[in-house]
Amino acid sequence: MTQGETTPKSEKTNSRDFSWPFWPIVPIYPYGQRRTIRKEIVKDTIWTFDQLQGIFYVIVPIRMTAIKLEPEGLLIYAPVAPTPECIGLLNELVAEHGEVKYILLTTISGIEHKVFVGPFARRFPNAQVFVAPGHWSFPLNLPLSWLGLPAKRTSVLPFDSSQTPFADQFDLAILGPIDLGLGWFAEVALFHRRSHTLMITDSVVSISENPPAIVQFDSYPLLFHAKDNASDIVADTPENRRKGWQRIALFAMYFRPSVLEIRNWGIVLSNAFKAPERSRKLISGYFLSSGNQIGSVLLRLWLGEDDCLSPQFCKL
């Protein structure tokens, strides 16, 4: 980790500290286990909390920001999963700078952001929750309270930032709405006057040359994408981690389905069975998600009968 990045101080880690029990609502990687890294951005004023998420090991960071209020208290911009580790890191700031007063859900379209707000708000029952105007859900457009947000303390942000209870310290602007066809995109840009810091959710993205610290807790996704062929055995080196990360960034940010050549499934399976590595991690995205008999048979063939030790994976 780089200077200023923090994980919990205890040297002993427990998987329960990373637990996110509501992962089946949005079943994406890393599922029920999410690590958190806190980093101080502006001394004694602004901190970021990084987690990660992805599909088929295309993993990208997702970020929450905590800003110190004057004279005390914290504002939370775009909450992440409130795992015990995350809440522990945040409570260290609460002990020093005061309680969480405001929680902002800053986008109207990103389910990967919405899913955290209700559980996060319940960890801070005195905080006011604000959401960007124009929220929608698919396939049914449900009230915010049905999406888990606390009805009695959730309000819609006004377009006029002077009408917010934190107007003495922040300016805000609503970006959008933009018609996506299925729904609308909009998000909240928040400017902290004292530190001259602008916070954006998805409209501006910075991609580093090297993989961020949060994606390096588990190198498997990076090395998975560093392969040129299924049969490659890739050493865990900084160079290969960088190669995998840069391919992930290209796939996540630039490629679109219309420009990708999809290989014949017969070739895909043939290459898969030639791969030297045989593990549930490697094929979880292909076979286990179907939950059917074909997936179980393929898994048995892949692992070998003797390796099929877990009934939930191998039962026909």
Side-chain angles (χ1 to χ4, degrees), residues 31-314:
Y31 312 110
Q33 296 285 300
R34 287 176 171 260
R35 295 299 308 264
T36 305
I37 292 178
R38 185 187 73 205
K39 183 175 182 179
E40 186 176 64
I41 301 299
V42 178
K43 184 173 176 54
D44 294 327
T45 303
I46 298 178
W47 302 262
T48 57
F49 293 70
D50 285 358
Q51 295 181 359
L52 60 83
Q53 62 187 16
I55 299 175
F56 295 131
Y57 296 133
V58 179
I59 54 170
V60 294
I62 183 171
R63 174 169 291 178
M64 170 179 86
T65 306
I67 308 101
K68 182 183 181 301
L69 301 170
E70 295 295 339
E72 65 176 10
L74 296 168
L75 180 147
I76 303 299
Y77 180 93
V80 293
T83 64
E85 179 181 46
C86 176
I87 297 302
L89 289 167
L90 182 55
N91 280 337
E92 291 177 5
L93 302 182
V94 169
E96 185 174 357
H97 302 291
E99 67 178 356
V100 173
K101 292 186 176 181
Y102 308 113
I103 299 170
L104 273 59
L105 172 53
T106 57
T107 177
I108 69 172
S109 56
I111 184 64
E112 71 275 14
H113 293 284
K114 292 182 186 180
V115 70
F116 302 131
V117 178
F120 191 96
R122 287 193 287 274
R123 300 300 299 267
F124 301 96
N126 296 322
Q128 291 181 260
V129 180
F130 290 91
V131 302
H135 267 279
W136 57 277
S137 59
F138 178 85
L140 298 175
N141 208 9
L142 301 174
L144 289 171
S145 60
W146 288 31
L147 299 177
L149 278 71
K152 294 183 179 180
R153 52 192 176 100
T154 298
S155 304
V156 177
L157 283 168
F159 283 89
D160 181 358
S161 62
S162 67
Q163 302 302 309
T164 65
F166 41 84
D168 60 327
Q169 300 179 56
F170 295 89
D171 294 315
L172 67 83
I174 310 297
L175 307 179
I178 299 171
D179 188 359
L180 301 177
L182 181 65
W184 294 84
F185 167 84
E187 69 177 48
V188 177
L190 188 70
F191 182 73
H192 183 234
R193 294 197 203 101
R194 184 165 65 88
S195 67
H196 296 166
T197 303
L198 177 66
M199 280 145 281
I200 297 288
T201 307
D202 293 319
S203 296
V204 178
V205 178
S206 174
I207 302 174
S208 59
E209 179 182 358
N210 295 304
I214 189 62
V215 307
Q216 299 208 51
F217 278 117
D218 180 6
S219 64
Y220 190 88
L222 300 174
L223 301 180
F224 179 88
H225 285 285
K227 295 182 177 183
D228 294 319
N229 297 288
S231 59
D232 288 350
I233 299 177
V234 179
D236 189 355
T237 65
E239 292 75 17
N240 282 331
R241 288 190 179 205
R242 185 185 306 114
K243 179 180 179 181
W245 165 247
Q246 292 178 358
R247 287 180 170 181
I248 286 171
L250 284 171
F251 189 85
M253 300 304 301
Y254 298 106
F255 292 162
R256 294 293 181 267
S258 60
V259 301
L260 296 178
E261 179 184 349
I262 307 301
R263 291 188 176 183
N264 179 279
W265 269 102
I267 297 175
V268 171
L269 292 175
S270 175
N271 289 339
F273 282 104
K274 295 177 184 177
E277 177 189 0
R278 300 198 175 192
S279 70
R280 293 186 179 92
K281 291 179 71 174
L282 184 62
I283 62 171
S284 60
Y286 293 100
F287 299 145
L288 300 186
S289 61
S290 62
N292 58 26
Q293 290 188 350
I294 294 175
S296 293
V297 171
L298 287 170
L299 180 57
R300 285 194 174 188
L301 291 172
W302 174 270
L303 293 176
E305 185 70 23
D306 293 339
D307 291 323
C308 216
L309 302 178
S310 181
Q312 68 265 32
F313 287 126
C314 303

